């Protein structure tokens, strides 16, 4: 695999049983690149190992005053120089290719998993953790995969050189051969402590990244309440904790590096003292001493790869574990058995919620979190259950994945405990992902607008029956278009060519919400689920948006989670969900008169107010609400 061939047509099915198994899977999938890098590394190391004999041969030629042998030694050094330059260049090329392609494979796997899980991902894994995995962690995983082949080449070269020294000069070669394993393994007792410190640094860095991500996402709100300094102070403290942890980790790695400089230095001094004694006694020649000393000095270079591979594994293992935690999540445990997209009623067997085909159904929940979970369930995310117990079972499965255990069994069990939502009698879990997304679209209460022009924002997969103009009109985006037209750089002031900043931060909350609603309307899914679609707009705009959505979605299934009387009054039917079950179904005005729980949610009454409210007061309040709705 070459960099120019990225992205992968299929990144593969990763082994997510644990972080080390995931790293091993990555290495196996890049076996060809690993062998190429190892071959060039071995050639590089062996060419370097050829320098000491050539130098020793040249020194001995000078001592013996042999011009021909000196010329041969010079030619040999020139050939070795060319081989070293070639091998070093190609080794670097192969190593960087392995690094980048491994990181790209992980990024593709993460992107695929994010697209599969959709909005359910951030409910199961913190957004900051996902950002940390897809940025810094993939680089460290790629580093280990790349360093593995260079380490293998260095280990092989080390064995070959030691064997060569023993055959060339046993009196000194045995000393070097015995010392090399000790030098390579001397730092092993320090590695567990270094790994723990590196893990702590990673953990604190991940928390700081998550805090920074959350702060940036809520910056507008923080400025509104004057909380910038508070959160800035929290990030400063988190940043300082990361710095202290990084210093402690660096101290341990510097100690390991110092040991790997000290011990080889002791070896070289001992080698020179013992070799000089042998040369003085005439037992070895000066050229042989120079050859062995030079070879022992060059052995320090492959020894550094032992430290590097230990450091790379120490940093990549927690990174791989975090990646495994995300990649081990599953949308469903059921196989896809349906080829066509079904049509019909949308039904949730857990709560008993029924959204008849072609009608505008409003759902009222007293708990906003319960509404969010139920909305995600209607979109086919089995783990986003309206039942908190089911969520706890799912979270337990995630914890087992984080600890390195297999997540598939627990994940399947959690999914089987919660029956799937049915569309036209067909479980959404049994639909292929593309069909499920085409059939049911869920817009959550905090939709995200990607950066780009308005035309690009509305250029999404759709049925083609709803135009962008119709969707914008139904979502009451006239004022948004006017403001974008004023900000347009085009000569004709075309709002469709105006760029929208990241997450739509250049727009108000209500404008973002209506543009996101227009984007959902353009897709024209079989069933559209809206979670508080008008929570950020005023009452007059809210009434017009509700009417526009109902008119545009005529004959299509629409479910809106809301508690606004203006929207509820336009719904074909209203469903009240209380503590995970449907408890009332009817028209908005009917439920206001007959169901006190419904009335308490819609009119924002407290329990004390309900207790002291007389029947006549209740009738007066209901009439007042109805008059307001009629005027709106």
């Amino acid at each position: 695999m070459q960099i120019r061939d990225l992205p992968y047509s299929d990144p593969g099915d990763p082994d997510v049983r644990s972080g080390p198994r995931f790293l091993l899977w990555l290495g196996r999938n890049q076996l060809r690149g690993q062998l190429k890098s190892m071959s060039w590394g071995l050639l590089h190391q062996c060419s370097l190992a050829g320098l000491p004999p050539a130098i020793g041969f040249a020194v001995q030629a000078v001592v013996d005053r042999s011009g021909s042998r000196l010329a041969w030694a010079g030619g040999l050094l020139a050939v070795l120089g060319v081989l070293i330059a070639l091998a070093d260049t190609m080794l670097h090329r192969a190593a960087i290719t392995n690094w980048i392609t491994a990181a790209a494979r992980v990024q593709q796997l993460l992107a695929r998993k994010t697209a599969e899980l959709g909005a359910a991902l951030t409910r199961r894994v913190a957004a900051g953790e996902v950002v940390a995995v897809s940025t810094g962690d993939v680089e460290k995983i790629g580093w280990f995969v790349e360093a593995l082949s260079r380490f293998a080449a260095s280990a092989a070269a080390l064995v070959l050189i030691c064997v060569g020294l023993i055959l060339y000069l046993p009196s000194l070669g045995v000393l070097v051969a015995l010392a090399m394993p000790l030098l390579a393994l001397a730092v092993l007792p320090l590695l567990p402590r270094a790994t723990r410190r590196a893990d702590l640094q990673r953990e604190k860095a991940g928390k700081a990244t998550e805090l920074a991500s959350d702060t940036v996402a809520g910056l507008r709100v923080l400025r509104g309440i004057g909380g910038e300094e508070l959160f800035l102070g929290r990030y400063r403290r988190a940043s300082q904790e990361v710095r202290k942890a990084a210093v402690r980790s660096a101290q341990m790695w510097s100690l390991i590096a110092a040991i790997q400089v000290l011990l080889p230095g002791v070896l070289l001094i001992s080698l020179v003292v013992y070799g000089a004694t042998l040369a003085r006694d005439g037992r070895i020649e000066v050229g042989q001493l120079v050859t062995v000393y030079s070879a022992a000095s060059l052995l320090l270079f492959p020894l550094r790869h032992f430290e590097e591979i230990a450091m790379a594994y120490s940093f990549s293992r927690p990174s791989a574990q975090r990646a495994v935690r995300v990649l081990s999540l599953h949308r469903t445990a059921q196989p896809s058995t349906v080829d066509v997209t079904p049509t019909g009623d949308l039904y949730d067997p857990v709560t008993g919620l029924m959204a008849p085909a072609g009608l505008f159904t409003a759902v009222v929940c007293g708990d906003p979190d319960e509404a969010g979970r139920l909305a995600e369930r209607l979109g086919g995310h089995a783990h986003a259950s309206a039942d908190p117990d089911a969520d706890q079972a799912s979270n337990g499965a995630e914890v087992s994945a984080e600890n390195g255990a297999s997540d598939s069994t627990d994940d399947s069990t959690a999914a089987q405990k919660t029956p799937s939502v049915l569309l036209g009698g067909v479980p959404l879990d049994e639909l292929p992902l593309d069909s499920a997304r085409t059939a049911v679209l869920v817009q959550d209460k905090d939709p995200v607008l990607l950066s780009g022009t308005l035309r690009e924002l509305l250029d999404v997969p759709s049925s083609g029956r709803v135009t962008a103009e119709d969707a914008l009109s139904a979502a009451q985006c006239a004022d948004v278009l006017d403001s974008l037209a004023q900000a347009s750089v085009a000569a004709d002031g075309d709002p469709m060519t105006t760029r929208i900043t990241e997450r739509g931060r250049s727009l108000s909350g209500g404008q973002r919400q209506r543009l996101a609603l227009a984007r959902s309307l353009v897709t024209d899914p079989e069933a559209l689920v809206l979670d508080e679609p008008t929570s950020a707009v005023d009452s007059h705009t809210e009434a017009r948006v509700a009417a526009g959505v109902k008119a545009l979605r005529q004959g299509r299934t629409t479910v809106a989670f809301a508690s606004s009387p203006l929207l509820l009054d336009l719904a074909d039917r209203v469903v009240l969900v209380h503590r995970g079950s449907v408890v009332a179904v009817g028209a908005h005005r009917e439920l206001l008169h007959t169901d006190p729980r419904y009335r308490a949610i819609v009119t924002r009454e407290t329990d004390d107010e309900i207790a002291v409210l007389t029947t006549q007061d209740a009738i007066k309040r209901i009439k007042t609400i109805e008059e307001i709705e009629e005027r709106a």
Side-chain angles (χ1 to χ4, degrees):
M1 185 71 179
Q2 298 297 321
I3 296 177
R4 63 175 175 267
D5 298 325
L6 294 174
Y8 290 95
S9 56
D10 179 14
D13 187 16
D15 187 344
V16 294
R17 288 177 291 178
S18 66
R21 288 179 181 272
F22 179 64
L23 293 174
L24 180 61
W25 177 83
L26 283 175
R28 288 202 311 266
N29 277 269
Q30 293 190 207
L31 188 59
R32 183 176 179 182
Q34 295 282 3
L35 292 176
K36 184 185 296 185
S37 177
M38 181 178 174
S39 300
W40 287 115
L42 195 57
L43 177 61
H44 181 248
Q45 297 284 351
C46 291
S47 299
L48 286 173
L51 291 176
I55 294 174
F57 188 63
V59 170
Q60 194 61 44
V62 172
V63 172
D64 297 340
R65 300 180 180 276
S66 174
S68 60
R69 283 190 293 168
L70 184 60
W72 276 105
L76 179 59
L77 287 172
V79 171
L80 290 174
V82 171
L83 290 177
I84 291 172
L86 175 64
D88 194 19
T89 301
M90 298 307 296
L91 171 62
H92 182 74
R93 180 187 179 94
I96 294 301
T97 299
N98 287 338
W99 189 335
I100 294 178
T101 51
R105 186 187 296 273
V106 178
Q107 285 180 326
Q108 279 190 250
L109 291 171
L110 291 170
R112 185 175 69 181
K113 183 60 65 174
T114 302
E116 175 188 339
L117 295 174
L121 175 63
T122 53
R123 284 187 177 271
R124 304 168 65 186
V125 179
E129 184 171 350
V130 177
V131 173
V133 171
S134 60
T135 54
D137 285 338
V138 295
E139 295 294 331
K140 292 171 178 59
I141 292 172
W143 175 28
F144 174 76
V145 174
E146 172 270 323
L148 194 59
S149 57
R150 292 189 291 111
F151 165 73
S154 298
L158 202 64
V159 173
L160 292 175
I161 294 172
C162 287
V163 171
L165 287 177
I166 293 175
L167 297 177
Y168 175 73
L169 191 62
S171 56
L172 294 180
V174 171
L175 175 62
V176 174
L178 292 176
M180 283 301 134
L182 297 178
L183 296 181
L185 302 177
V187 298
L188 282 183
L190 299 177
L191 287 180
R193 183 178 298 180
T195 301
R196 287 194 297 271
R197 293 190 180 186
D199 290 347
L200 180 61
Q201 177 195 351
R202 284 288 173 207
E203 179 184 351
K204 291 185 177 297
K207 290 181 179 178
T209 302
E210 181 179 345
L211 179 61
S213 176
D214 292 343
T215 303
V216 172
L219 190 58
R220 185 186 295 269
V221 177
L222 291 177
R223 286 176 176 172
I225 63 175
E228 306 104 306
E229 289 300 324
L230 174 63
F231 273 79
L232 184 59
R234 291 180 181 177
Y235 182 74
R236 284 198 186 101
R237 290 192 294 272
S239 179
Q240 289 302 312
E241 290 181 1
V242 174
R243 181 189 63 81
K244 293 177 181 177
V247 169
R248 283 176 52 82
S249 178
Q251 288 173 343
M252 185 56 62
W253 288 112
S254 63
L255 176 61
I256 292 175
I259 291 176
Q260 291 201 325
V261 171
L262 174 64
L263 295 183
V266 173
L267 170 64
L268 292 178
I269 293 174
S270 303
L271 189 65
V272 169
V273 171
Y274 182 59
T277 302
L278 295 178
R280 184 190 59 188
D281 296 341
R283 298 167 61 184
I284 62 173
E285 298 178 347
V286 175
Q288 291 178 318
L289 175 59
V290 172
T291 298
V292 175
Y293 175 81
S294 301
S297 300
L298 288 176
L299 284 175
L300 304 184
F301 180 74
L303 274 177
R304 294 174 187 169
H305 288 87
F306 285 76
E307 176 192 355
E308 182 186 5
I309 196 65
M311 184 180 295
Y313 180 74
S314 174
F315 279 89
S316 65
R317 185 182 58 80
S319 296
Q321 192 60 58
R322 278 193 292 271
V324 162
R325 184 185 177 193
V326 177
L327 296 175
S328 62
L329 301 176
H330 298 288
R331 168 180 171 260
T332 174
Q334 302 295 330
S336 299
T337 58
V338 181
D339 296 331
V340 296
T341 302
T343 59
D345 300 337
L346 187 64
Y347 175 67
D348 177 27
V350 175
T351 60
L353 173 62
M354 169 70 76
L359 296 184
F360 183 9
T361 302
V363 182
V364 176
C365 293
D367 182 3
D369 293 333
E370 181 182 13
R373 289 191 295 267
L374 181 52
E376 289 183 6
R377 271 191 51 75
L378 293 178
H381 301 291
H383 293 279
S385 169
D387 181 6
D389 295 336
D391 284 337
Q392 287 182 353
S394 176
N395 291 336
E398 293 168 21
V399 171
S400 67
E402 184 180 5
N403 292 333
S406 175
D407 184 67
S408 58
T409 302
D410 294 336
D411 203 29
S412 302
T413 303
Q416 291 170 359
K417 289 179 180 178
T418 308
S420 173
V421 170
L422 306 177
L423 179 62
V426 178
L428 291 181
D429 279 355
E430 296 182 5
L431 291 176
L433 182 59
D434 293 342
S435 299
R437 293 284 166 81
T438 303
V440 183
L441 173 65
V442 178
Q443 176 181 303
D444 62 21
K445 64 183 66 178
D446 186 23
V448 175
L449 301 182
L450 302 179
S451 59
T453 65
L454 180 57
R455 179 173 287 109
E456 292 170 342
L457 175 69
L458 300 177
D459 184 16
V460 293
S462 65
S463 66
R465 288 187 290 264
V466 178
T467 64
E469 291 74 14
D470 292 339
L472 290 169
S473 176
Q476 302 299 314
C477 294
D479 62 317
V480 185
L481 295 177
D482 291 339
S483 62
L484 291 177
Q486 295 176 5
S488 175
V489 296
D492 57 353
D494 185 5
M496 302 299 290
T497 61
T498 304
R499 289 194 64 80
I500 298 173
T501 58
E502 180 188 4
R503 299 179 69 91
R505 291 194 175 96
S506 59
L507 305 171
S508 67
Q511 290 175 329
R512 286 198 304 270
Q513 193 173 56
R514 281 176 284 159
L515 283 182
L517 176 59
R519 179 179 59 186
S520 299
L521 293 174
V522 166
T523 61
D524 190 36
E526 179 67 28
L528 176 61
V529 180
L530 305 172
D531 188 5
E532 296 288 352
T534 57
S535 59
V537 299
D538 59 79
S539 58
H540 295 287
T541 305
E542 182 178 33
R544 295 196 300 271
V545 169
V549 171
K550 182 177 181 180
L552 187 66
R553 294 283 300 171
Q554 191 69 35
R556 311 287 277 174
T557 306
T558 306
V559 180
F561 288 82
S563 58
S564 168
L566 297 173
L567 188 149
L568 296 173
D569 195 43
L570 290 173
D572 296 320
R573 65 198 303 268
V574 179
V575 179
L576 175 62
V577 177
H578 182 66
R579 294 184 178 178
S581 299
V582 172
V583 295
V585 179
H588 164 59
R589 298 177 187 243
E590 174 191 348
L591 293 176
L592 273 177
H593 288 279
T594 60
D595 197 300
R597 289 171 297 191
Y598 179 82
R599 183 172 63 247
I601 296 172
V602 173
T603 61
R604 310 296 197 272
E605 293 174 351
T606 64
D607 293 338
D608 293 337
E609 288 175 331
I610 296 174
V612 301
L613 194 61
T614 64
T615 304
Q616 181 135 4
D617 290 336
I619 295 174
K620 288 180 180 179
R621 183 170 297 186
I622 293 171
K623 288 182 177 179
T624 302
I625 293 173
E626 291 175 349
E627 290 174 359
I628 293 174
E629 292 171 349
E630 289 173 355
R631 288 198 298 270

